[in-house]
């Protein structure tokens, strides 16, 4: 937790220059056990979907911490990217959602694909609260406040036919696929959309449909990477900052 | 498991053109449950520290599988990199070792650093068999056969003073450190050495020592990444293929 993120519900008073917040739960535990926070300790604080700043501890005990917060700094620039990801295996889901949030992706489509087991759609890790938790952990790690948007698309064909062409228009549109692909394009801050398949990859029919929607196949090397690692490796290659 | 890797102990006969191997345990389970292998099934096989090729199933049952293997293809090119990593927390260790092997790193120094808890050195995950297992899983994922070398250095100062200057000579030598750093250099296949600190980073004294040994501080952006993600992001930025 490199950043304490508060939201509206934590605010107990508001003046022109400072916000007074009250924290409990996981954040209080962290303040006590890791920061050994005491009155007047200064901590890095951010407002969910708002600015970064610092908080001064007013009081702290086993029940609650009260902080006076001033906010003055914009959060890091989001990646100019829409990420389209075949729904990962439940076992990998939490880490991947967390990573994507940490890396500064703000728009994520989780889609169905032939090699995605239908049962994956009923995992509890896809519940809004479970997703929110992992997104928040990613933001806390990378000192960001802007919550990503996650869109669930349980049917491949309607998504690629009806939505994807519009999402691809005026963007650098790519699907990571190691066969008959172009080398990864040079790093740029151009608006982009990138699709990444499931373990085992997209099937040829799906690649055809993604290409019809406007995506070009790209590859970064001959190694077959785990999905989470592939996401990081591709984003690091495609964008000059992470 | 995208590759079945065998070693000398699995070889039961050898002719000029083929090697007959016998497999059990985890590999047999995978052949039966994932590949649904039967006699004459063809599978991708590699020899540990040797070539890649294919294997034809001669016989398979609950006790053992016998395959005739022909080897004809070189494994993927290693990254021209020596990676120096502050010993990760035990909880992260296995995944990080696995990732590093998957990414094609062949020389890894795990070193002590001020922010590495001394107790981490006694984790069972550092036992040779535990390391070997994760290295092998990484190779199986990325279809490689060349086992990385891991060097453990429990004392920071003797390592950076006595060994590191020589390791840095004639190489692109870098330490990832987000303060007062150069931007990450362009992607290249130049021989390189890269140091990555623990959670919380190297302390200023350590950065000074690493710079004295010949390393230049570099950064890839303002976000603070988890170690595993930072490794992938940096390697993907520094080398044209992964």
């Amino acid at each position: 937790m490199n950043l304490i993120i508060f939201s509206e519900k934590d605010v107990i008073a508001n003046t022109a220059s400072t916000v007074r917040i009250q924290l409990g739960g996981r954040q209080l535990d962290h303040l006590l056990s890791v920061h050994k926070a005491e009155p007047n300790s200064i901590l890095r604080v951010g407002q969910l979907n708002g600015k970064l700043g610092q908080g001064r501890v007013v009081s702290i005990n086993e029940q609650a911490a009260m902080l006076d917060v001033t906010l003055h700094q914009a959060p890091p620039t989001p990646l100019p990217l829409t990420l389209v990801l075949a729904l990962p295996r439940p076992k990998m889901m939490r880490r991947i959602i967390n990573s994507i949030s940490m890396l500064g992706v703000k728009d994520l489509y989780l889609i169905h694909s032939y090699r995605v087991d239908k049962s994956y759609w009923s995992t509890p890790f896809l519940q809004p609260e479970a997703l929110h938790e992992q997104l928040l952990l990613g933001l806390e790690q990378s000192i960001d406040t802007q919550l990503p948007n996650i869109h669930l698309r349980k049917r491949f064909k309607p998504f690629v036919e009806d939505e994807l062409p519009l999402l691809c228009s005026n963007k650098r549109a790519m699907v990571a696929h190691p066969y008959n692909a172009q080398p990864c394009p040079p790093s740029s801050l151009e608006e982009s959309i990138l699709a990444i398949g499931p373990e085992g990859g997209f099937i040829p029919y799906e690649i055809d449909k993604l290409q019809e929607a406007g995506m070009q196949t790209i590859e970064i090397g001959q190694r077959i990477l785990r999905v989470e690692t592939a996401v990081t490796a591709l984003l690091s290659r495609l964008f000059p900052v992470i």
Side-chain angles (χ1 to χ4, degrees), chain A:
Chain A
M1 199 185 291
N2 295 315
L3 178 69
I4 307 287
I5 301 177
F6 71 94
S7 60
E8 279 307 315
K9 70 169 177 26
D10 305 312
V11 175
I12 54 177
N14 232 321
T15 72
S17 61
T18 66
V19 184
R20 178 159 291 187
I21 61 172
Q22 184 172 306
L23 302 172
R26 191 171 60 84
Q27 292 176 315
L28 176 62
D29 291 347
H30 187 82
L31 291 179
L32 288 168
S33 65
V34 179
H35 288 291
K36 321 279 186 202
E38 299 175 345
N40 294 317
S41 292
I42 301 291
L43 299 152
R44 197 153 40 188
V45 176
Q47 179 165 27
L48 191 63
N49 293 320
K51 287 188 175 176
L52 297 169
Q54 58 183 36
R56 186 181 57 81
V57 175
V58 177
S59 68
I60 185 163
N61 59 39
E62 296 291 322
Q63 277 71 52
M66 198 144 63
L67 282 79
D68 276 347
V69 174
T70 54
L71 300 169
H72 44 77
Q73 194 192 340
T77 312
L79 288 184
L81 173 69
T82 301
L83 184 61
V84 177
L85 195 65
L87 188 71
R89 274 190 298 152
K91 197 183 151 195
M92 316 302 286
M93 186 103 62
R94 286 188 297 179
R95 282 189 64 88
I96 291 178
I97 298 294
N98 183 319
S99 279
I100 284 169
S101 175
M102 172 177 63
L103 290 165
V105 175
K106 299 301 171 193
D107 259 303
L108 172 64
Y109 286 79
L110 292 173
I111 69 168
H112 193 66
S113 147
Y114 184 78
R115 294 209 175 99
V116 168
D117 194 300
K118 284 219 169 63
S119 69
Y120 296 177
W121 287 101
S122 41
T123 170
F125 302 142
L126 275 184
Q127 293 297 313
E129 315 77 58
L131 291 176
H132 183 81
E133 183 190 2
Q134 292 306 320
L135 294 175
L136 210 57
L137 290 169
L139 297 179
E140 288 174 357
Q141 168 68 39
S142 66
I143 312 186
D144 191 358
T145 62
Q146 297 180 78
L147 211 55
N149 293 305
I150 300 186
H151 316 271
L152 306 181
R153 294 295 182 265
K154 293 191 189 183
R155 292 174 61 215
F156 180 83
K157 200 162 167 247
F159 172 71
V160 294
E161 289 185 351
D162 305 338
E163 275 192 88
L164 192 59
L166 201 62
L167 289 172
C168 289
S169 77
N170 298 315
K171 290 199 187 87
R172 189 165 65 146
M174 303 157 288
V175 48
H177 187 67
Y179 312 103
N180 297 320
Q182 301 291 313
C184 189
S187 182
S188 130
L189 284 173
E190 213 176 320
E191 281 290 333
S192 306
I193 180 166
L194 171 68
I196 299 178
E199 285 173 68
F202 287 118
I203 61 173
Y205 163 80
E206 292 171 332
I207 291 291
D208 288 348
K209 297 298 281 181
L210 293 165
Q211 287 177 320
E212 277 169 30
M215 291 184 151
Q216 183 183 327
T217 54
I218 63 161
E219 53 94 7
I220 56 170
Q222 66 186 119
R223 291 177 184 275
I224 299 182
L225 305 177
R226 284 194 307 262
V227 173
E228 186 191 344
T229 309
V231 169
T232 305
L234 282 156
L235 301 198
S236 182
R237 198 71 68 85
L238 287 169
F239 301 102
V241 289
I242 270 191

